[in-house]
Amino acid sequence: MNTDSDIGRMHLNSPAVDAESKTNEEQPPQFDVRVSTDNMAAYLRIKPAYSGQAVTFEDVSGFLTQKGITYGICEKEVRSFCQDGKFYSEVICAKGIRPIDGTDGFIEYFFNTNTEYKPKEREDGTIDFRDLDMVKNIKKDVVLCKITPPGAGTDGTDVFGRVVPFVAGRFPVLPVGTNTVVSEDGLSLIAGVDGCIEYKKSVINVSDVFYVRGDVDSASGNINAIGSVVVQGDVREGFSVKAGKDISIRGMAEGALIEAQGTISISNGMNGMGKGTLKAGGNIVGKYFENAILISENDIYADILMNCRATAQGSIILKGRKASLIGGSYQAGQKIVVKNIGTSAYTTTSVAIQSKQLDDKLTIGKEGNNAEQLEQKRLQAQNELEDFQKRFADLTAQSPLNSKNDTGRENLIIKAALMKKIQLGEAVKAIEAKIQELKETRNELSDYKIVGSSIVYTGTKMTIGPFNININNDYSNTKFYAGPEGIVFAPVLPSDMP
């Protein structure tokens, strides 16, 4: 009798079952590949035709090749996947190489681009609240900034073997502005003039004038510029403005330090409070100066100078309604021209003309070289020359020069006499030249003068060269200058006024 198990076993071994098994074994596995959107990775799934079907790496490789996936085949992962037979999962079968993009270029600045001005710390650790480092000075031909070019990138390759180009880095643009120059290689920006740096909206300007839009005070700090400075407001007490060129102050200055290599111009003048100081390589110009120190290598121009100490290598010239020197001390190298010196209250006011040029001119008439002595020397030399000329004429008449009958001794005597005559003539000319120089010098001495076109009041102390006088009476419309023996008084002429 046959059992159920026997029937089943027989069924499995029947010719029909064997044929089906043979048919499945001949069918290949089903491959399914998925490629990422950027083509940088491929993922594989395998569906066997029957349970336990073997799949080799070579089977997979051939399939991938048919699909065009030829680069970055993950052999190790695929072989392991095939050996394990875990075909229900997905395996990465190919990886591309991503491109390495170039790095962006960048600009290196050689000055502080920060516009948040902070007080500077001193070496001892204390804070200088007046130094905010607002002005960024730069010399001509100095590099302002430099480009570091973009870094090179590397191309990539996708799973299909195609080149994936890298993205080049950004090449920055130089912030070219006014008075800047691009270097020959195009990588550097150079200052075209001496001046201060203005960095706004990614543009660099170099200006030879630095503008202070308001006052110089705690908000701006001290100003120190290589070029010129224009202050549109006032300069407050305790602060300083320094410039390599000119300084123009539209308002007034208090007890401050103002120092310029060029001209200082202050529209409303200065109340120096006893400490305010102006130092200029050029002129100092203003309306009113009080209790201030003024030092100019050229001229000082104002309407009123009151209780100041002023020194000008050139001249001090006051113009205006009052044009007065009141109190203080004032020294010029050539001339002081004003309306009034001192006051009716006899305020002590010192004025002086001092310069090497004046001293040299006064020296010319000294040490035996005054007019009378020179004239005596000239007459003496002239008489000596005339007397010698007569004797020389007699000598040559008795024994003409180069005569056939002259002896060697006579010839030498005549030549010596001729040389003596020439020397005496040169001596006369030299004395006459000194006399002319002395006359011209005396005329020029009046150029070194103090002019009071209105009143020079009692109480004025006056110095011109080595000579000093105290004014004990009021003088009207008078100029004072040095003569050979002292200070000379004379009326003011139109030519004396500027």
Side-chain angles (χ1 to χ4, degrees):
M1 180 179 293
N2 296 326
T3 63
D4 292 340
S5 58
D6 293 335
I7 295 170
R9 190 177 297 110
M10 289 172 63
H11 175 74
L12 290 171
N13 295 325
S14 66
V17 172
D18 292 341
E20 182 180 353
S21 298
K22 186 176 181 180
T23 302
N24 289 338
E25 289 176 359
E26 292 175 353
Q27 292 181 355
Q30 181 179 342
F31 297 103
D32 183 21
V33 67
R34 178 176 63 86
V35 180
S36 63
T37 56
D38 59 4
N39 296 328
M40 282 295 166
Y43 302 90
L44 177 68
R45 284 181 183 275
I46 301 176
K47 184 178 181 181
Y50 56 92
S51 177
Q53 183 178 24
V55 180
T56 66
F57 170 76
E58 287 72 17
D59 295 334
V60 174
S61 178
F63 170 75
L64 293 177
T65 300
Q66 290 177 4
K67 295 295 184 181
I69 299 172
T70 58
Y71 186 83
I73 303 300
C74 302
E75 181 176 350
K76 181 179 179 181
E77 289 83 353
V78 172
R79 286 186 183 280
S80 177
F81 182 67
C82 292
Q83 289 173 3
D84 294 342
K86 298 178 179 179
F87 299 134
Y88 54 83
S89 62
E90 186 178 60
V91 69
I92 187 167
C93 59
K95 291 181 182 178
I97 295 179
R98 296 186 179 277
I100 300 174
D101 292 339
T103 57
D104 288 342
F106 61 90
I107 298 177
E108 181 181 6
Y109 293 89
F110 299 108
F111 62 92
N112 185 5
T113 59
N114 188 4
T115 56
E116 294 181 3
Y117 305 111
K118 296 180 180 179
K120 184 176 288 187
E121 183 176 347
R122 300 187 181 97
E123 292 183 0
D124 60 2
T126 59
I127 302 299
D128 185 354
F129 289 97
R130 288 191 169 92
D131 190 353
L132 302 183
D133 196 25
M134 179 176 284
V135 184
K136 298 176 176 64
N137 291 308
I138 191 77
K139 297 286 288 183
K140 182 181 178 182
D141 298 330
V142 172
V143 176
L144 294 157
C145 62
K146 184 177 181 179
I147 289 177
T148 295
T154 304
D155 289 337
T157 307
D158 66 14
V159 295
F160 296 105
R162 295 174 300 199
V163 174
V164 181
F166 69 88
V167 177
R170 185 183 63 87
F171 201 103
V173 178
L174 284 171
V176 179
T178 306
N179 293 325
T180 58
V181 179
V182 178
S183 62
E184 291 184 4
D185 61 8
L187 297 179
S188 298
L189 191 64
I190 302 168
V193 297
D194 292 348
C196 56
I197 302 169
E198 297 177 353
Y199 181 63
K200 294 180 180 179
K201 296 181 179 179
S202 299
V203 173
I204 298 176
N205 297 319
V206 178
S207 175
D208 56 359
V209 180
F210 182 81
Y211 289 89
V212 181
R213 304 300 176 185
D215 296 341
V216 175
D217 54 17
S218 57
S220 69
N222 296 328
I223 303 298
N224 188 350
I226 197 172
S228 297
V229 174
V230 175
V231 180
Q232 295 182 335
D234 302 330
V235 181
R236 299 300 184 183
E237 177 187 1
F239 289 89
S240 66
V241 179
K242 299 180 180 180
K245 294 182 180 178
D246 301 331
I247 295 176
S248 175
I249 300 171
R250 304 286 171 79
M252 68 171 295
E254 297 177 349
L257 171 62
I258 315 295
E259 189 171 351
Q261 297 297 319
T263 293
I264 297 175
S265 176
I266 308 178
S267 296
N268 295 329
M270 179 182 218
N271 183 350
M273 304 176 180
K275 60 183 178 181
T277 302
L278 305 175
K279 296 181 180 180
N283 298 333
I284 295 177
V285 182
K287 184 176 181 181
Y288 176 87
F289 297 94
E290 180 179 4
N291 293 317
I293 300 168
L294 294 83
I295 303 170
S296 170
E297 294 182 18
N298 202 22
D299 300 331
I300 296 174
Y301 296 91
D303 183 8
I304 296 176
L305 292 173
M306 179 180 291
N307 297 322
C308 293
R309 286 186 290 140
T311 302
Q313 292 187 19
S315 301
I316 298 175
I317 298 175
L318 302 191
K319 296 180 179 181
R321 187 170 57 87
K322 294 184 178 179
S324 299
L325 295 178
I326 303 172
S329 61
Y330 308 91
Q331 177 179 307
Q334 184 171 15
K335 59 187 176 182
I336 296 175
V337 181
V338 301
K339 285 183 179 178
N340 304 300
I341 302 176
T343 66
S344 57
Y346 308 140
T347 303
T348 300
T349 307
S350 299
V351 289
I353 303 295
Q354 297 285 0
S355 67
K356 183 179 183 303
Q357 292 83 355
L358 175 60
D359 293 340
D360 291 343
K361 293 180 184 303
L362 288 169
T363 302
I364 291 175
K366 293 182 178 180
E367 300 176 357
N369 286 329
N370 60 46
E372 293 76 11
Q373 291 173 328
L374 285 173
E375 184 60 29
Q376 289 179 359
K377 288 182 179 180
R378 189 191 70 79
L379 289 173
Q380 181 179 352
Q382 185 66 38
N383 291 335
E384 185 176 354
L385 175 61
E386 292 175 355
D387 180 64
F388 186 82
Q389 285 176 331
K390 291 179 181 178
R391 289 187 284 114
F392 182 76
D394 293 341
L395 178 63
T396 54
Q398 296 173 5
S399 180
L401 192 61
N402 295 326
S403 171
K404 294 182 179 180
N405 299 323
D406 65 0
T407 65
R409 181 172 178 277
E410 289 175 340
N411 193 24
L412 290 174
I413 291 172
I414 292 174
K415 287 183 178 180
L418 182 59
M419 290 298 299
K420 179 68 173 179
K421 176 184 175 183
I422 293 172
Q423 291 174 356
L424 291 173
E426 292 296 332
V428 171
K429 290 180 180 179
I431 295 171
E432 289 176 343
K434 285 187 177 181
I435 292 173
Q436 181 62 31
E437 181 184 10
L438 183 59
K439 288 179 180 179
E440 292 175 355
T441 299
R442 286 189 172 181
N443 292 334
E444 292 171 355
L445 283 174
S446 61
D447 293 334
Y448 297 82
K449 58 195 172 185
I450 297 171
V451 177
S453 62
S454 184
I455 301 175
V456 178
Y457 287 97
T458 300
T460 298
K461 295 182 177 180
M462 188 174 295
T463 300
I464 304 178
F467 308 118
N468 301 279
I469 59 170
N470 292 325
I471 303 299
N472 297 319
N473 298 293
D474 293 352
Y475 285 83
S476 176
N477 194 46
T478 306
K479 67 179 176 183
F480 306 81
Y481 60 92
E485 306 301 328
I487 294 177
V488 178
F489 303 9
V492 176
L493 302 175
S495 60
D496 293 318
M497 302 303 295

